[in-house]
Amino acid sequence: MIQKDYISKNHSKFLIKYHVIFVCKYRKKLLIGAVEYDMKQIMQNISDLSDFNIEVMETDKDHIHMMICSEPKLSPLQIVRRLKQMSTTAIWKRHENYLRHVFYWGKHILDGWIFCVISRKCQSGNHQKIHRKPRVAALPRIFHPLN
């Protein structure tokens, strides 16, 4: 990592990156077609209005991967809360008829989330993981003594 990658402010120099994964509620495969395109646009618009930047974003049918560059004044929880709240209201306004048939109650689309801090050593590796298509691994069989 070269020195130009760091962000400089008046009294600080930093480089904070998070790998954030949002999962659709009940792992429903909602992020296809127009919903996927609109969700990406909405997330990018939210980051343009906020103090963080989405550098890379990829979606699968039931989850979204993002590489987010942030300032030290924002916690990961604040970033996630802003993205979930604003994207949920915006996507419901655009696709209410479709989503009403999928979710009978509540207006939540993104349910779970996970993040990890990206360090200098693993930044290039995680960047490549976002671009790769995820592999679905078979779940191991659970041993039950009565079976």
Side-chain angles (χ1 to χ4, degrees):
M1 186 173 305
I2 54 177
Q3 202 69 2
K4 293 178 184 177
D5 291 340
Y6 288 90
I7 299 168
S8 294
K9 297 288 183 176
N10 289 341
H11 299 285
S12 63
K13 186 179 251 189
F14 56 88
L15 180 60
I16 301 173
K17 293 189 179 191
Y18 302 112
H19 180 182
V20 180
I21 304 168
F22 287 113
V23 181
C24 291
K25 193 163 187 105
Y26 308 120
R27 297 291 283 198
K28 294 209 181 237
K29 302 197 180 329
L30 298 173
L31 301 172
I32 52 175
V35 177
E36 173 190 8
Y37 177 77
D38 288 343
M39 184 62 87
K40 284 183 174 182
Q41 292 294 341
I42 290 166
M43 292 289 191
Q44 197 61 50
N45 292 342
I46 294 168
S47 85
D48 292 342
L49 297 172
S50 304
D51 293 335
F52 57 88
N53 183 28
I54 298 175
E55 292 184 353
V56 181
M57 180 174 20
E58 287 296 324
T59 60
D60 199 10
K61 295 175 185 172
D62 62 352
H63 63 276
I64 305 170
H65 287 264
M66 288 182 271
M67 178 78 73
I68 296 176
C69 185
S70 173
E71 293 187 5
K73 66 182 180 180
L74 286 176
S75 71
L77 179 63
Q78 290 172 318
I79 295 169
V80 167
R81 186 176 292 151
R82 185 173 299 162
L83 284 170
K84 281 181 71 172
Q85 288 174 347
M86 294 176 78
S87 67
T88 298
T89 56
I91 202 75
W92 268 91
K93 286 179 184 176
R94 291 186 187 182
H95 298 280
E96 184 172 0
N97 292 333
Y98 170 69
L99 293 173
R100 192 178 307 138
H101 295 291
V102 177
F103 297 109
Y104 303 111
W105 61 88
K107 290 193 173 187
H108 302 288
I109 292 178
L110 301 175
D111 189 26
W113 58 276
I114 186 170
F115 77 95
C116 64
V117 178
I118 308 301
S119 67
R120 278 192 268 176
K121 293 179 185 176
C122 67
Q123 181 182 0
S124 61
N126 277 331
H127 186 73
Q128 292 171 356
K129 286 180 188 176
I130 290 176
H131 287 293
R132 272 192 315 197
K133 287 288 181 188
R135 282 187 253 151
V136 178
L139 295 174
R141 284 185 56 110
I142 298 173
F143 174 73
H144 195 279
L146 299 177
N147 288 347

